[in-house]
Amino acid sequence: MKTLVVFALVAAASAYSFSGFQRDEPDEVPLAQKQHDISSLLYKVYEPLHDANLKTLVDTFDPEANLSNFPDGGVAVRKLLKELKDHKLEEKQHFFSVFNDTQREQALLLTNVLLQCQDWKTGISYAAYFRQRLNEEEFIYALYAAVRHSPLSRNVVLPPIYEILPHFFTSAEVLQKAYRAKIKATPGKFVTNFTGTPNNPEYRVAYFTEDIGLSTHYFNWHLEYPFWWNDTFGPHIERKGETFFWIHHQLNNRFDAERLSNHLDLVQKLHWDETLHDGFHPHTTYKYGDRFPIRPDDIHIENVDHVAEVHDLVVLENRIRDAIDHGYIINKEGSKVDIRNEEGIDILGNIIESSLYSPNVEYYGSLNNLAHVLLGHQGDPHDKYHEAPSVLEHYETATRDPAFYQLHKYIDDLFRKHKDRLPPYNKEELEFRGVAINNINIDGTLETYIEDYEYSLVNAVDDKDEVEDLEISTYIQRLKHKDFSFNIDIINNNDGDVLSTIRIFAWPHRDSNGVIFPFNEGRWRAIELDKFFKTLKPGENHIVRKSVESSVTVPDVPSINTLHDKVEAALTAGSDLHLEQFVSATGLPNRLLIPKGNEAGVELKLVVAVTDGAADAAINDLETFKKFHHYGYKGVYPDKKPHGYPLDRHVPDERIFHDIPNFAETIVKVFNHNEHIRHH
């Protein structure tokens, strides 16, 4: 099925009546059993179920029984069963993309069914039943989305997507070796190299773009904040459009810092009428043979048949630019909605993505999503070879393509245009009365290194029940940093305790030519390193914040083998399963907190702002409620201030920050002494 993309989000919204239930009371199924069931459903998903209990459940399950228990009266179940009976569902052993309207709607039918299930046994029965019948990759997406949002699966950890769909991330050459090992019944561990060779300058930063933890972060963020979500699925997701801006802004800033670490120029934003210089060859294939398309170097961006013309995107861009210039957007009722305020960035984010929260999708369209598909088809714009979806058409793989960063630099430019039209913060808005920073420094050395990381290929090779699994894996290099701490000395001259928000940022001090970034340019390129709340007692406060504690980051998701071992141990012992620290995978992996640096050391300007926590706080118990992190928890944010505050607005004169005592800056260096990137 060719990817036909019209992003008819309005039609999609009216086609379903989603009403995912939101019970918060616990059910009686232990978390270890739930984790076991989800892992079993995802194990070798291209094959029949291997788990005996799930197979028995499916054999005796009637999907049309007890439909009255569904909040929608069983409408979604009947619709999905009818699609199945009429042979309208995507065939098995075929690729899937969430950007394909038809495939996405099919997957969301199952997500809808699972979100409405009132107990775990019913939910897992429907999941197992449709696992046998849906396209495998549609099923994976539907299940991941449902687990992410259903109260029944709270604290269930989704296995790393690179081990569930290893062929998305692992070269065809390595997978051939894995198959040969399977045929010979010989365990194997194979090296995976990065795409390309040193002849390509982009190879120098492939350790970042092809980092499987980065891909997991991006995939999970889009599951947590999907563009197809509306309030009939569940609770309203606060600041979803703003967070769309912020995650991509941070990815761009982080990628630029990696480029400067490797003596490359900053990413240049995409221009629709100019040559796209950097091609991409993924060296990967879909499970059943279709390769991920190649895009050659130095192409002129063309119209894509059945998708869009380049002119369509230029029109959408101009409408968005006009809205920014005028300071308002036109909603679908024809009324003006002011965006020259703190909420404007959220409205723009919803428009640009575009999500179902867009106030006028028919007029402003879907610039981001449409651009992903149009760029993804540049290797075959006229469908001469009927190619499969590209890496840009999967959240799992989009960050691997250099064009992703050029596209999002272009989109980021629109967001900056809006932000620069907001009035700069004045001294009264920035100052935290009675609070001053005396000193900031780093305890330890900012040093990164390259390590090997192994992941399983068990889901990459076909199997039979009677054949025992072999240890077949691959290992790839990845970036990591040594532990360090921020030391911050703060004076509280107030009479009593005060709640503070401590915001830590850093940006490259110099560009690729060694020229120092002016403050206003630097602050736009700032990487958020941490944000946390701290009560300051009167007098001196010495604060030590460990790098591993950063709210911007999360631990790497445990491997499927680690999850299996922990689950089986809990089930055998009848004990509780504790995987809470891995539940939210929306942050960057902690090991990617800082850019690579280099042998000589890359200078970063480190800045710390201490702001009024009582005015900032959106919830209570900020210091103890550990579920909250950088992107919030279940769509609720602990911080009222805009993402990036106080560096998110234009700074016409940097002296304003030098005149407030609750802001401090210093220069630090990031070193890397063992670069050693393997070559083919």
Side-chain angles (χ1 to χ4, degrees):
M1 181 182 293
K2 178 68 178 176
T3 305
L4 302 178
V5 183
V6 294
F7 294 103
L9 294 176
V10 173
S14 61
Y16 309 124
S17 176
F18 292 110
S19 51
F21 78 107
Q22 298 300 321
R23 286 191 308 129
D24 286 326
E25 61 267 23
D27 58 359
E28 298 177 357
V29 180
L31 178 60
Q33 184 61 51
K34 293 181 177 182
Q35 187 70 57
H36 169 86
D37 291 343
I38 295 300
S39 296
S40 297
L41 285 170
L42 293 166
Y43 174 73
K44 292 187 177 292
V45 75
Y46 292 92
E47 301 174 13
L49 282 164
H50 286 253
D51 185 85
N53 291 332
L54 290 179
K55 285 195 286 188
T56 300
L57 205 60
V58 170
D59 291 342
T60 59
F61 180 65
D62 178 6
E64 295 187 271
N66 302 316
L67 293 184
S68 60
N69 292 332
F70 280 76
D72 71 349
V75 171
V77 174
R78 292 190 184 95
K79 184 176 176 68
L80 187 52
L81 289 171
K82 187 176 189 308
E83 295 276 292
L84 176 65
K85 180 180 178 181
D86 294 343
H87 305 288
K88 291 182 178 180
L89 296 179
E90 181 62 75
E91 62 193 58
K92 279 178 169 285
Q93 302 183 8
H94 196 266
F95 45 74
F96 159 82
S97 169
V98 71
F99 291 109
N100 180 303
D101 288 344
T102 301
Q103 293 177 336
R104 180 181 68 253
E105 289 170 11
Q106 291 175 3
L108 293 185
L109 276 173
L110 177 57
T111 300
N112 180 21
V113 169
L114 299 179
L115 285 177
Q116 292 190 68
C117 291
Q118 301 290 312
D119 60 81
W120 185 257
K121 183 178 179 181
T122 300
I124 212 68
S125 298
Y126 274 105
Y129 180 85
F130 283 109
R131 181 194 187 277
Q132 307 278 61
R133 292 159 175 84
L134 256 65
N135 170 274
E136 299 89 347
E137 290 168 21
E138 278 188 2
F139 172 79
I140 291 170
Y141 186 82
L143 183 64
Y144 266 69
V147 169
R148 178 63 65 187
H149 291 281
S150 172
L152 287 175
S153 49
R154 183 170 291 135
N155 292 330
V156 171
V157 174
L158 288 165
I161 193 64
Y162 51 82
E163 290 191 320
I164 302 303
L165 293 172
H167 42 286
F168 275 40
F169 305 90
T170 312
S171 71
E173 176 188 10
V174 170
L175 292 183
Q176 285 180 351
K177 293 178 181 178
Y179 270 106
R180 285 198 292 269
K182 183 70 174 180
I183 291 170
K184 295 178 180 179
T186 304
K189 184 190 298 185
F190 310 104
V191 61
T192 289
N193 292 313
F194 297 122
T195 298
T197 71
N199 294 330
N200 179 3
E202 296 300 315
Y203 188 76
R204 298 183 212 170
V205 287
Y207 67 86
F208 180 77
T209 58
E210 298 182 29
D211 187 290
I212 54 179
L214 179 69
S215 296
T216 301
H217 156 62
Y218 193 66
F219 174 63
N220 277 288
W221 184 89
H222 277 284
L223 283 174
E224 190 81 23
Y225 303 92
F227 68 86
W228 44 260
W229 185 271
N230 62 27
D231 294 349
T232 55
F233 270 113
H236 185 83
I237 300 176
E238 297 179 18
R239 297 168 64 175
K240 188 158 78 78
E242 181 191 6
T243 310
F244 170 81
F245 147 68
W246 187 245
I247 186 180
H248 292 95
H249 179 67
Q250 286 295 288
L251 281 174
N252 265 308
N253 288 356
R254 184 52 196 281
F255 187 47
D256 275 342
E258 298 299 337
R259 297 180 71 82
L260 293 173
S261 295
N262 291 278
H263 313 289
L264 294 171
D265 290 334
L266 302 174
V267 173
Q268 297 300 306
K269 71 177 182 180
L270 182 77
H271 293 274
W272 295 114
D273 58 350
E274 294 182 9
T275 300
L276 183 59
H277 292 292
D278 294 316
F280 187 62
H281 191 322
H283 292 283
T284 50
T285 61
Y286 287 88
K287 172 69 174 177
Y288 289 102
D290 291 280
R291 69 173 188 175
F292 279 84
I294 300 166
R295 185 185 65 253
D297 288 344
D298 299 317
I299 64 164
H300 182 74
I301 301 173
E302 295 188 50
N303 301 332
V304 175
D305 295 352
H306 311 300
V307 174
E309 296 182 2
V310 173
H311 177 70
D312 298 337
L313 281 86
V314 174
V315 168
L316 297 180
E317 175 194 340
N318 288 337
R319 289 174 179 173
I320 293 166
R321 288 188 179 276
D322 286 345
I324 293 169
D325 287 338
H326 291 126
Y328 61 83
I329 60 98
I330 304 295
N331 66 20
K332 61 185 178 182
E333 288 79 25
S335 302
K336 295 178 181 179
V337 179
D338 183 22
I339 60 170
R340 205 157 284 176
N341 50 44
E342 284 193 356
E343 291 73 36
I345 190 73
D346 190 49
I347 295 171
L348 276 178
N350 288 326
I351 283 173
I352 290 171
E353 186 175 16
S354 125
S355 78
L356 286 178
Y357 287 0
S358 171
N360 195 344
V361 69
E362 290 184 346
Y363 182 69
Y364 294 107
S366 181
L367 180 62
N368 172 78
N369 293 354
L370 202 55
H372 267 260
V373 180
L374 186 136
L375 289 175
H377 279 74
Q378 287 305 303
D380 183 26
H382 306 300
D383 200 24
K384 291 182 178 180
Y385 308 107
H386 199 60
E387 291 198 318
S390 72
V391 295
L392 287 172
E393 294 166 83
H394 298 280
Y395 293 130
E396 301 94 318
T397 54
T399 56
R400 301 166 75 86
D401 190 333
F404 170 87
Y405 301 94
Q406 292 175 263
L407 168 62
H408 284 285
K409 183 64 74 77
Y410 153 81
I411 290 175
D412 198 56
D413 186 62
L414 295 174
F415 287 121
R416 182 171 187 177
K417 185 179 177 70
H418 161 72
K419 282 282 191 177
D420 283 353
R421 277 161 173 71
L422 300 178
Y425 295 115
N426 58 42
K427 187 176 181 180
E428 289 70 28
E429 291 174 305
L430 295 172
E431 203 168 32
F432 187 7
R433 292 189 181 279
V435 173
I437 303 175
N438 270 0
N439 182 55
I440 57 172
N441 62 64
I442 299 293
D443 183 10
T445 303
L446 295 181
E447 184 176 346
T448 68
Y449 57 95
I450 302 295
E451 67 171 11
D452 282 332
Y453 176 73
E454 183 179 353
Y455 64 93
S456 173
L457 297 180
V458 67
N459 285 323
V461 292
D462 295 327
D463 207 353
K464 294 182 179 179
D465 284 340
E466 61 270 20
V467 179
E468 187 175 346
D469 272 340
L470 297 170
E471 289 292 332
I472 300 176
S473 62
T474 186
Y475 59 97
I476 190 168
Q477 292 182 305
R478 67 178 191 177
L479 185 67
K480 197 169 185 178
H481 65 80
K482 294 183 177 179
D483 290 338
F484 64 91
S485 299
F486 298 104
N487 290 323
I488 309 168
D489 293 312
I490 303 173
I491 296 288
N492 174 16
N493 292 316
N494 295 286
D495 293 335
D497 292 353
V498 294
L499 180 65
S500 69
T501 314
I502 300 176
R503 306 168 188 274
I504 307 176
F505 301 88
W507 65 76
H509 189 47
R510 301 174 188 273
D511 66 16
S512 57
N513 294 315
V515 178
I516 294 174
F517 283 113
F519 188 93
N520 189 53
E521 284 302 308
R523 61 95 200 169
W524 186 252
R525 303 181 189 281
I527 301 164
E528 187 172 28
L529 298 179
D530 205 350
K531 177 171 60 182
F532 60 99
F533 295 88
K534 188 72 176 177
T535 297
L536 304 176
K537 68 181 189 300
E540 296 183 359
N541 293 263
H542 178 66
I543 296 169
V544 178
R545 179 73 167 183
K546 296 178 181 179
S547 57
V548 72
E549 296 174 313
S550 171
S551 66
V552 176
T553 64
V554 296
D556 279 299
V557 181
S559 68
I560 54 175
N561 289 334
T562 299
L563 286 174
H564 175 270
D565 291 346
K566 288 181 178 294
V567 166
E568 294 309 308
L571 288 174
T572 301
S575 58
D576 292 336
L577 179 66
H578 292 288
L579 297 170
E580 292 86 354
Q581 63 178 318
F582 305 111
V583 169
S584 176
T586 53
L588 279 174
N590 182 264
R591 58 186 174 77
L592 291 180
L593 179 61
I594 56 175
K596 181 173 75 67
N598 55 36
E599 187 76 27
V602 171
E603 289 182 316
L604 299 179
K605 176 167 279 193
L606 178 69
V607 300
V608 176
V610 181
T611 61
D612 186 347
D616 300 341
I619 63 160
N620 298 320
D621 302 322
L622 284 163
E623 291 185 86
T624 58
F625 197 58
K626 300 301 184 184
K627 285 184 178 180
F628 279 99
H629 62 94
H630 173 63
Y631 291 112
Y633 178 72
K634 298 298 181 187
V636 179
Y637 290 83
D639 183 14
K640 292 178 183 176
K641 288 292 191 288
H643 283 309
Y645 173 83
L647 303 175
D648 60 310
R649 294 193 187 181
H650 179 68
V651 181
D653 187 344
E654 68 179 274
R655 288 176 296 182
I656 190 172
F657 282 98
H658 299 156
D659 290 342
I660 57 173
N662 52 306
F663 181 89
E665 61 183 49
T666 189
I667 301 296
V668 297
K669 282 188 174 183
V670 184
F671 295 91
N672 181 282
H673 299 300
N674 76 329
E675 190 166 317
H676 304 315
I677 301 295
R678 278 191 299 266
H679 300 159
H680 289 278

